[in-house]
Structures are given as C-alpha cells and as structure tokens.
Amino acid sequence: MLTHPTTDRLRELGLTGMARALEEQRRHADAVDLGFEDRLAMLVEREALERDTRRLATRLRFAGLRQQATPEDVDHRAARGLDRALFQKLTGGEWIERHQDLLVTGPTGTGKTWLSCALGHRACRDNRSVLYQRVPRLLEALGIARGDGRYARMLKSLARVQVLILDDWAITPLTAEQRRDLMEIVDDRHDRASTIVTSQVPVELWHEHIGNPTIADAVLDRLVHGANRIELKGESMRKLRAAKAKLDEGADT
C-alpha cells in the first residue's frame, strides 16, 4: 500500500535506480519470496550501477573523444605494426598511475586517433578524467584565452586532467607564442599526469618542428624520455576499407 509513496520518495531523494528497481520488484511475483535484506541488496546494487553509468557518461561527455572507440573494438589483425601485448598492457592503466606518457606515431589513416580514443575510453571507464584536443585548435583557443583573461585558468584546467590526448601534433607550423604554450602544457603535466600524443611526424623530427632549440629541448626532455611508444606503419586503413567495400559492392552486382 505504501509502495507508490515510497517510490516517489526515492525519486525525490535522487535514488532513481532504487526507485526503478522497486517498481520492477512489484511487477515480478518471484521477488516477494525473497527476504528483506536480499530485496534491499538488489535495490542498492541497482542504484550503484546506475550511478556508475551516469558518472561514465559525464566523463565521456567531458572527454569529447573524436572516435567512439573502445579497446575491445581494436582490430589486431590489421597489418600496421601494432604490438598487441603492449596495447593490452596499456589498457591496464598502470602507466597512467605512474604519470607516464604515450606517443603514437605513423602515417595518416593507420589508426592513431582511434587507438588513443580507445585508451581514453578505457581510462574513463576506470574512473579517470580524460580530455581530447587537436593541437592546432587547442593552440588557437589558448591564443584567444590569452587575450580575454582566461589563459591561466585554461592552463590550470589542462594540467588537472589525468589523461590529456593531444591529437595531430606537429601538423602545422608553430608561432613563438604557440611554442611557449606547448612548453607550459608539457611542463605543468610532467610527472603529474599522463599525456597521449599522436602525430604523423616521426619523433626524431619533432625538435625541428618546434623550431626554437631551447624550447624544443625542454619540451622533448619532459615528453619523450621514458614515454611509451606505439609506432604504426602500413597503408591507410580508411583506404583499405574503402577498397574492400568497393570489391564487395562489385561482387554483389
């Protein structure tokens, strides 16, 4: 008789998972045969599960991952030089606990962004904060923030993220201010948080790309030394998929 008021009260208290579970118990006669503590345990478990789901959704929205990728979706059969054992080790997240970095390099289309987003998704599932940024747009945003007074706050926000994904590193020339911005980002996070960098440019050429020798030495000393590396190779997977789709289409005609 008090079921409906109780359900309403649970919702008022923000216990929506428990409210839904209670309604389900009412609809299933078998639940009546369970003891009080068993039924209560089911309600509490449902609430905990739904809260975890909501927290994960919030972390994923904040992360803004470019690809909806997960480690389980990674194609290890593709001929691109991906070390399966290394990737599986990275999904464990120990490198994040140690505040290590990860550098993912290789030609365009080999899956650098996909792999970084898959690791980012796993980090979100492990209750870690993640943020995806394309380097050109991030540097542009920092330039704007410098002009309107948000610069220091934006750098502080970037420093707090447990896993920062910097996609498309070294894709465009850097200005003097942008070099300093990269230095600030890397220095703030060094030995405090983990950064994933993806780039079409081999690591050996990053020093030349940064331009200023002093800043380049400082950035690479903090970012490259001791970092985990994934070096991909081979043809663009997008091209290979397009070619396969074309063949399949031809076979169907």
Side-chain angles (χ1 to χ4, degrees), residues 27-83:
R27 291 195 296 269
H28 293 85
D30 293 345
V32 178
D33 298 330
L34 297 174
F36 169 77
E37 289 193 7
D38 289 334
R39 293 185 67 179
L40 179 61
M42 293 172 65
L43 299 181
V44 173
E45 182 63 26
R46 177 65 171 275
E47 180 65 31
L49 179 61
E50 293 204 8
R51 289 192 179 199
D52 286 344
T53 300
R54 289 197 297 270
R55 281 194 290 265
L56 174 57
T58 299
R59 287 193 294 273
L60 287 172
R61 279 196 301 272
F62 176 80
L65 299 174
R66 187 174 184 179
Q67 304 282 355
Q68 298 301 309
T70 68
E72 294 78 11
D73 293 332
V74 172
D75 184 2
H76 291 281
R77 297 169 300 174
R80 52 178 167 169
L82 177 61
D83 185 328

Side-chain angles (χ1 to χ4, degrees), residues 20-243:
R20 275 192 282 268
L22 181 58
E23 289 174 345
E24 290 173 6
Q25 287 186 8
R26 289 180 56 242
R27 291 195 296 269
H28 293 85
D30 293 345
V32 178
D33 298 330
L34 297 174
F36 169 77
E37 289 193 7
D38 289 334
R39 293 185 67 179
L40 179 61
M42 293 172 65
L43 299 181
V44 173
E45 182 63 26
R46 177 65 171 275
E47 180 65 31
L49 179 61
E50 293 204 8
R51 289 192 179 199
D52 286 344
T53 300
R54 289 197 297 270
R55 281 194 290 265
L56 174 57
T58 299
R59 287 193 294 273
L60 287 172
R61 279 196 301 272
F62 176 80
L65 299 174
R66 187 174 184 179
Q67 304 282 355
Q68 298 301 309
T70 68
E72 294 78 11
D73 293 332
V74 172
D75 184 2
H76 291 281
R77 297 169 300 174
R80 52 178 167 169
L82 177 61
D83 185 328
R84 184 168 190 162
L86 171 60
F87 187 78
Q88 290 180 337
K89 182 179 179 181
L90 291 170
T91 62
E94 185 178 345
W95 62 286
I96 302 175
E97 290 292 331
R98 295 181 176 180
H99 302 153
Q100 296 176 347
D101 300 321
L102 171 63
L103 313 180
V104 186
T105 58
T108 182
T110 49
K112 301 180 296 297
T113 300
W114 179 272
L115 293 176
S116 67
C117 287
L119 291 171
H121 191 282
R122 176 56 189 266
C124 286
R125 280 156 48 187
D126 290 340
N127 200 27
R128 295 185 171 105
S129 59
V130 179
L131 181 63
Y132 170 92
Q133 292 282 344
R134 286 190 65 249
V135 174
R137 290 185 180 177
L138 174 60
L139 295 177
E140 182 181 347
L142 283 168
I144 295 172
R146 184 183 289 104
D148 61 22
R150 295 180 297 109
Y151 183 74
R153 187 164 68 250
M154 190 170 177
L155 284 178
K156 187 175 181 180
S157 177
L158 291 171
R160 283 200 302 259
V161 176
Q162 290 174 281
V163 181
L164 176 63
I165 301 174
L166 296 177
D167 199 12
D168 288 336
W169 175 282
I171 200 171
T172 56
L174 299 175
T175 65
E177 283 187 342
Q178 289 174 340
R179 293 187 192 101
R180 290 193 293 271
D181 290 343
L182 282 178
M183 178 63 207
E184 292 294 336
I185 294 170
V186 172
D187 185 60
D188 284 347
R189 300 182 57 77
H190 181 57
D191 282 341
R192 298 182 183 92
S194 295
T195 305
I196 300 177
V197 177
T198 78
S199 179
Q200 298 177 28
V201 179
V203 174
E204 305 80 59
L205 299 180
W206 287 7
H207 194 284
E208 179 183 343
H209 168 74
I210 294 173
N212 182 299
T214 302
I215 294 179
D217 287 344
V219 169
L220 298 185
D221 180 65
R222 289 161 173 77
L223 188 61
V224 175
H225 296 160
N228 300 281
R229 294 200 195 186
I230 294 178
E231 298 178 357
L232 303 176
K233 57 187 178 181
E235 293 186 60
S236 167
M237 294 182 68
R238 284 188 290 269
K239 289 183 179 179
L240 292 174
R241 283 194 295 267

